[in-house]
Amino acid sequence: MSIAYFDAHAHLQDKRLESDLATILAKCRRVGVARWVVNGTRESDWPRVRALADFHADLTPSFGLHPWYAATRSSDWLAKLDHELQVGAIGVGEIGLDRWIRNHNINDQKLVFRDQLSLAHSHELPASIHCLRAWGHLLECLQEAPRLKRGFLLHSYGGPREMVAQFAKLGAYFSLSGYFFHGRKRQQLETLLHSVPSDRLLLETDAPDMALPEHDEKAFNSPRNLIAIYRYTAEALEEPIDQFACRIAENFQCLFGSS
């Protein structure tokens, strides 16, 4: 039986991939990658995400304003985002909160985040969420916001184990990237794999970032590394790869739908 792989979070619009993207995608398809969720992060890259999705049926677009770019948003950013969602999208993202960045304004980030959660709710779309050093703020925002019908993805989840159940109760799915297979993160990986409900686990590359252990952490991360991430995770769970991949496919369809 052939295995189908699903990348829950990537940035294939990134200029580092542009020159070789067609070749990379062709190689990925040959080894079984079935779908990618391609996340826009700011107004300037939304057109590229749209163009890729229009050209490649297996690249499904998600649009959002990442907290790194919240401070430089235009006055009509929310209307532009609403328009992109009306044209067609699989989700709202990448959005979120980040207290790691220099000179962050968490209150402004919360305003932007809440506006985007409201759009996700009104369009009945899932959200793809980034969070660094702001887990308490994130939980508060999610508890106060209308419940998203399809749920939301906590991408490359690095939050406390103790908060997994609280987020899951609100509709969270949790994705793992190659980041967790570096030696210093192995213990966190094993803890998460035994904390996250089996029907809420997804995998991602976050390509072209989040390189695998055999590469420097800041190195280019190919979308082809998704297969290795599946293999590593299945091995960590001591589960046959075909059985594990079927479960991930089911989880992907539950959050993002079948097309």
PDB file of all heavy atoms in Angstrom, residues 175-194:
ATOM      1  N   SER A 175       1.193  20.254  15.770  1.00  0.00           N
ATOM      2  CA  SER A 175       2.080  19.701  14.747  1.00  0.00           C
ATOM      3  C   SER A 175       3.526  19.719  15.225  1.00  0.00           C
ATOM      4  O   SER A 175       3.946  20.595  15.979  1.00  0.00           O
ATOM      5  CB  SER A 175       1.945  20.449  13.417  1.00  0.00           C
ATOM      6  OG  SER A 175       2.392  21.773  13.519  1.00  0.00           O
ATOM      7  N   LEU A 176       4.259  18.713  14.765  1.00  0.00           N
ATOM      8  CA  LEU A 176       5.675  18.585  15.070  1.00  0.00           C
ATOM      9  C   LEU A 176       6.481  18.788  13.801  1.00  0.00           C
ATOM     10  O   LEU A 176       6.086  18.332  12.728  1.00  0.00           O
ATOM     11  CB  LEU A 176       5.972  17.198  15.651  1.00  0.00           C
ATOM     12  CG  LEU A 176       5.237  16.813  16.938  1.00  0.00           C
ATOM     13  CD1 LEU A 176       5.627  15.410  17.353  1.00  0.00           C
ATOM     14  CD2 LEU A 176       5.541  17.803  18.051  1.00  0.00           C
ATOM     15  N   SER A 177       7.616  19.441  13.935  1.00  0.00           N
ATOM     16  CA  SER A 177       8.522  19.687  12.811  1.00  0.00           C
ATOM     17  C   SER A 177       9.856  19.010  13.085  1.00  0.00           C
ATOM     18  O   SER A 177      10.069  18.418  14.148  1.00  0.00           O
ATOM     19  CB  SER A 177       8.736  21.197  12.641  1.00  0.00           C
ATOM     20  OG  SER A 177       9.432  21.722  13.773  1.00  0.00           O
ATOM     21  N   GLY A 178      10.775  19.121  12.135  1.00  0.00           N
ATOM     22  CA  GLY A 178      12.101  18.550  12.305  1.00  0.00           C
ATOM     23  C   GLY A 178      12.861  19.130  13.483  1.00  0.00           C
ATOM     24  O   GLY A 178      13.803  18.503  13.999  1.00  0.00           O
ATOM     25  N   TYR A 179      12.462  20.283  13.934  1.00  0.00           N
ATOM     26  CA  TYR A 179      13.072  20.968  15.082  1.00  0.00           C
ATOM     27  C   TYR A 179      13.144  20.055  16.302  1.00  0.00           C
ATOM     28  O   TYR A 179      14.098  20.101  17.078  1.00  0.00           O
ATOM     29  CB  TYR A 179      12.226  22.204  15.376  1.00  0.00           C
ATOM     30  CG  TYR A 179      12.445  22.913  16.671  1.00  0.00           C
ATOM     31  CD1 TYR A 179      13.533  23.764  16.854  1.00  0.00           C
ATOM     32  CD2 TYR A 179      11.538  22.783  17.721  1.00  0.00           C
ATOM     33  CE1 TYR A 179      13.713  24.451  18.047  1.00  0.00           C
ATOM     34  CE2 TYR A 179      11.704  23.463  18.908  1.00  0.00           C
ATOM     35  CZ  TYR A 179      12.792  24.293  19.070  1.00  0.00           C
ATOM     36  OH  TYR A 179      12.961  24.968  20.251  1.00  0.00           O
ATOM     37  N   PHE A 180      12.134  19.199  16.477  1.00  0.00           N
ATOM     38  CA  PHE A 180      12.045  18.388  17.688  1.00  0.00           C
ATOM     39  C   PHE A 180      12.971  17.175  17.675  1.00  0.00           C
ATOM     40  O   PHE A 180      13.108  16.491  18.692  1.00  0.00           O
ATOM     41  CB  PHE A 180      10.599  17.905  17.896  1.00  0.00           C
ATOM     42  CG  PHE A 180       9.679  19.017  18.305  1.00  0.00           C
ATOM     43  CD1 PHE A 180       8.956  19.719  17.358  1.00  0.00           C
ATOM     44  CD2 PHE A 180       9.550  19.378  19.636  1.00  0.00           C
ATOM     45  CE1 PHE A 180       8.111  20.746  17.723  1.00  0.00           C
ATOM     46  CE2 PHE A 180       8.711  20.405  20.010  1.00  0.00           C
ATOM     47  CZ  PHE A 180       7.995  21.100  19.059  1.00  0.00           C
ATOM     48  N   PHE A 181      13.634  16.922  16.554  1.00  0.00           N
ATOM     49  CA  PHE A 181      14.480  15.744  16.486  1.00  0.00           C
ATOM     50  C   PHE A 181      15.948  16.059  16.750  1.00  0.00           C
ATOM     51  O   PHE A 181      16.793  15.159  16.717  1.00  0.00           O
ATOM     52  CB  PHE A 181      14.281  15.050  15.134  1.00  0.00           C
ATOM     53  CG  PHE A 181      12.873  14.554  14.981  1.00  0.00           C
ATOM     54  CD1 PHE A 181      11.933  15.304  14.300  1.00  0.00           C
ATOM     55  CD2 PHE A 181      12.476  13.380  15.587  1.00  0.00           C
ATOM     56  CE1 PHE A 181      10.619  14.880  14.190  1.00  0.00           C
ATOM     57  CE2 PHE A 181      11.163  12.936  15.477  1.00  0.00           C
ATOM     58  CZ  PHE A 181      10.227  13.691  14.780  1.00  0.00           C
ATOM     59  N   HIS A 182      16.266  17.323  17.008  1.00  0.00           N
ATOM     60  CA  HIS A 182      17.605  17.681  17.458  1.00  0.00           C
ATOM     61  C   HIS A 182      17.798  17.158  18.878  1.00  0.00           C
ATOM     62  O   HIS A 182      16.847  17.138  19.680  1.00  0.00           O
ATOM     63  CB  HIS A 182      17.795  19.199  17.402  1.00  0.00           C
ATOM     64  CG  HIS A 182      17.852  19.725  15.997  1.00  0.00           C
ATOM     65  ND1 HIS A 182      19.030  19.867  15.304  1.00  0.00           N
ATOM     66  CD2 HIS A 182      16.872  20.111  15.145  1.00  0.00           C
ATOM     67  CE1 HIS A 182      18.773  20.328  14.090  1.00  0.00           C
ATOM     68  NE2 HIS A 182      17.468  20.480  13.961  1.00  0.00           N
ATOM     69  N   GLY A 183      19.011  16.743  19.187  1.00  0.00           N
ATOM     70  CA  GLY A 183      19.280  16.073  20.448  1.00  0.00           C
ATOM     71  C   GLY A 183      18.761  16.782  21.678  1.00  0.00           C
ATOM     72  O   GLY A 183      18.167  16.165  22.567  1.00  0.00           O
ATOM     73  N   ARG A 184      18.912  18.089  21.728  1.00  0.00           N
ATOM     74  CA  ARG A 184      18.492  18.821  22.915  1.00  0.00           C
ATOM     75  C   ARG A 184      16.979  18.894  23.064  1.00  0.00           C
ATOM     76  O   ARG A 184      16.463  19.326  24.092  1.00  0.00           O
ATOM     77  CB  ARG A 184      19.081  20.234  22.887  1.00  0.00           C
ATOM     78  CG  ARG A 184      18.639  21.062  21.699  1.00  0.00           C
ATOM     79  CD  ARG A 184      19.380  22.386  21.591  1.00  0.00           C
ATOM     80  NE  ARG A 184      19.018  23.117  20.395  1.00  0.00           N
ATOM     81  CZ  ARG A 184      17.955  23.876  20.287  1.00  0.00           C
ATOM     82  NH1 ARG A 184      17.125  24.006  21.307  1.00  0.00           N
ATOM     83  NH2 ARG A 184      17.695  24.523  19.168  1.00  0.00           N
ATOM     84  N   LYS A 185      16.252  18.495  22.020  1.00  0.00           N
ATOM     85  CA  LYS A 185      14.791  18.555  22.061  1.00  0.00           C
ATOM     86  C   LYS A 185      14.142  17.177  22.155  1.00  0.00           C
ATOM     87  O   LYS A 185      12.925  17.069  22.195  1.00  0.00           O
ATOM     88  CB  LYS A 185      14.263  19.268  20.804  1.00  0.00           C
ATOM     89  CG  LYS A 185      14.525  20.767  20.806  1.00  0.00           C
ATOM     90  CD  LYS A 185      13.719  21.460  21.888  1.00  0.00           C
ATOM     91  CE  LYS A 185      13.973  22.948  21.945  1.00  0.00           C
ATOM     92  NZ  LYS A 185      13.206  23.591  23.042  1.00  0.00           N
ATOM     93  N   ARG A 186      14.948  16.121  22.178  1.00  0.00           N
ATOM     94  CA  ARG A 186      14.381  14.772  22.159  1.00  0.00           C
ATOM     95  C   ARG A 186      13.475  14.504  23.359  1.00  0.00           C
ATOM     96  O   ARG A 186      12.426  13.880  23.224  1.00  0.00           O
ATOM     97  CB  ARG A 186      15.501  13.743  22.129  1.00  0.00           C
ATOM     98  CG  ARG A 186      16.304  13.711  20.862  1.00  0.00           C
ATOM     99  CD  ARG A 186      15.558  13.200  19.668  1.00  0.00           C
ATOM    100  NE  ARG A 186      15.047  11.844  19.822  1.00  0.00           N
ATOM    101  CZ  ARG A 186      14.600  11.105  18.812  1.00  0.00           C
ATOM    102  NH1 ARG A 186      14.606  11.601  17.584  1.00  0.00           N
ATOM    103  NH2 ARG A 186      14.140   9.894  19.018  1.00  0.00           N
ATOM    104  N   GLN A 187      13.881  14.975  24.529  1.00  0.00           N
ATOM    105  CA  GLN A 187      13.060  14.732  25.710  1.00  0.00           C
ATOM    106  C   GLN A 187      11.714  15.447  25.588  1.00  0.00           C
ATOM    107  O   GLN A 187      10.666  14.894  25.934  1.00  0.00           O
ATOM    108  CB  GLN A 187      13.785  15.191  26.976  1.00  0.00           C
ATOM    109  CG  GLN A 187      13.015  14.846  28.250  1.00  0.00           C
ATOM    110  CD  GLN A 187      13.797  15.170  29.514  1.00  0.00           C
ATOM    111  OE1 GLN A 187      14.951  15.592  29.452  1.00  0.00           O
ATOM    112  NE2 GLN A 187      13.173  14.971  30.650  1.00  0.00           N
ATOM    113  N   GLN A 188      11.752  16.695  25.049  1.00  0.00           N
ATOM    114  CA  GLN A 188      10.505  17.423  24.845  1.00  0.00           C
ATOM    115  C   GLN A 188       9.625  16.696  23.832  1.00  0.00           C
ATOM    116  O   GLN A 188       8.403  16.621  23.992  1.00  0.00           O
ATOM    117  CB  GLN A 188      10.795  18.843  24.357  1.00  0.00           C
ATOM    118  CG  GLN A 188       9.541  19.702  24.216  1.00  0.00           C
ATOM    119  CD  GLN A 188       9.861  21.118  23.742  1.00  0.00           C
ATOM    120  OE1 GLN A 188      11.004  21.441  23.441  1.00  0.00           O
ATOM    121  NE2 GLN A 188       8.841  21.951  23.668  1.00  0.00           N
ATOM    122  N   LEU A 189      10.235  16.139  22.787  1.00  0.00           N
ATOM    123  CA  LEU A 189       9.484  15.388  21.783  1.00  0.00           C
ATOM    124  C   LEU A 189       8.766  14.207  22.425  1.00  0.00           C
ATOM    125  O   LEU A 189       7.558  14.009  22.208  1.00  0.00           O
ATOM    126  CB  LEU A 189      10.437  14.879  20.691  1.00  0.00           C
ATOM    127  CG  LEU A 189       9.851  13.850  19.722  1.00  0.00           C
ATOM    128  CD1 LEU A 189       8.807  14.498  18.843  1.00  0.00           C
ATOM    129  CD2 LEU A 189      10.963  13.223  18.877  1.00  0.00           C
ATOM    130  N   GLU A 190       9.487  13.413  23.196  1.00  0.00           N
ATOM    131  CA  GLU A 190       8.882  12.231  23.811  1.00  0.00           C
ATOM    132  C   GLU A 190       7.768  12.628  24.770  1.00  0.00           C
ATOM    133  O   GLU A 190       6.721  11.964  24.823  1.00  0.00           O
ATOM    134  CB  GLU A 190       9.970  11.433  24.525  1.00  0.00           C
ATOM    135  CG  GLU A 190      10.969  10.796  23.569  1.00  0.00           C
ATOM    136  CD  GLU A 190      12.126  10.136  24.276  1.00  0.00           C
ATOM    137  OE1 GLU A 190      12.082  10.045  25.523  1.00  0.00           O
ATOM    138  OE2 GLU A 190      13.085   9.716  23.597  1.00  0.00           O
ATOM    139  N   THR A 191       7.958  13.711  25.495  1.00  0.00           N
ATOM    140  CA  THR A 191       6.915  14.185  26.407  1.00  0.00           C
ATOM    141  C   THR A 191       5.666  14.581  25.639  1.00  0.00           C
ATOM    142  O   THR A 191       4.543  14.211  26.015  1.00  0.00           O
ATOM    143  CB  THR A 191       7.438  15.389  27.212  1.00  0.00           C
ATOM    144  OG1 THR A 191       8.550  14.990  28.007  1.00  0.00           O
ATOM    145  CG2 THR A 191       6.353  15.934  28.135  1.00  0.00           C
ATOM    146  N   LEU A 192       5.842  15.318  24.543  1.00  0.00           N
ATOM    147  CA  LEU A 192       4.702  15.761  23.746  1.00  0.00           C
ATOM    148  C   LEU A 192       3.969  14.590  23.103  1.00  0.00           C
ATOM    149  O   LEU A 192       2.732  14.553  23.079  1.00  0.00           O
ATOM    150  CB  LEU A 192       5.161  16.748  22.672  1.00  0.00           C
ATOM    151  CG  LEU A 192       5.463  18.161  23.135  1.00  0.00           C
ATOM    152  CD1 LEU A 192       6.036  18.987  21.989  1.00  0.00           C
ATOM    153  CD2 LEU A 192       4.193  18.829  23.673  1.00  0.00           C
ATOM    154  N   LEU A 193       4.726  13.631  22.587  1.00  0.00           N
ATOM    155  CA  LEU A 193       4.097  12.501  21.911  1.00  0.00           C
ATOM    156  C   LEU A 193       3.237  11.680  22.860  1.00  0.00           C
ATOM    157  O   LEU A 193       2.303  11.007  22.427  1.00  0.00           O
ATOM    158  CB  LEU A 193       5.159  11.613  21.266  1.00  0.00           C
ATOM    159  CG  LEU A 193       5.829  12.185  20.021  1.00  0.00           C
ATOM    160  CD1 LEU A 193       6.919  11.256  19.520  1.00  0.00           C
ATOM    161  CD2 LEU A 193       4.812  12.447  18.916  1.00  0.00           C
ATOM    162  N   HIS A 194       3.525  11.744  24.136  1.00  0.00           N
ATOM    163  CA  HIS A 194       2.719  11.020  25.113  1.00  0.00           C
ATOM    164  C   HIS A 194       1.698  11.919  25.800  1.00  0.00           C
ATOM    165  O   HIS A 194       0.965  11.466  26.675  1.00  0.00           O
ATOM    166  CB  HIS A 194       3.635  10.347  26.142  1.00  0.00           C
ATOM    167  CG  HIS A 194       4.444   9.231  25.569  1.00  0.00           C
ATOM    168  ND1 HIS A 194       5.706   9.407  25.050  1.00  0.00           N
ATOM    169  CD2 HIS A 194       4.151   7.919  25.372  1.00  0.00           C
ATOM    170  CE1 HIS A 194       6.164   8.259  24.587  1.00  0.00           C
ATOM    171  NE2 HIS A 194       5.249   7.345  24.767  1.00  0.00           N
TER     172      HIS A 194
END
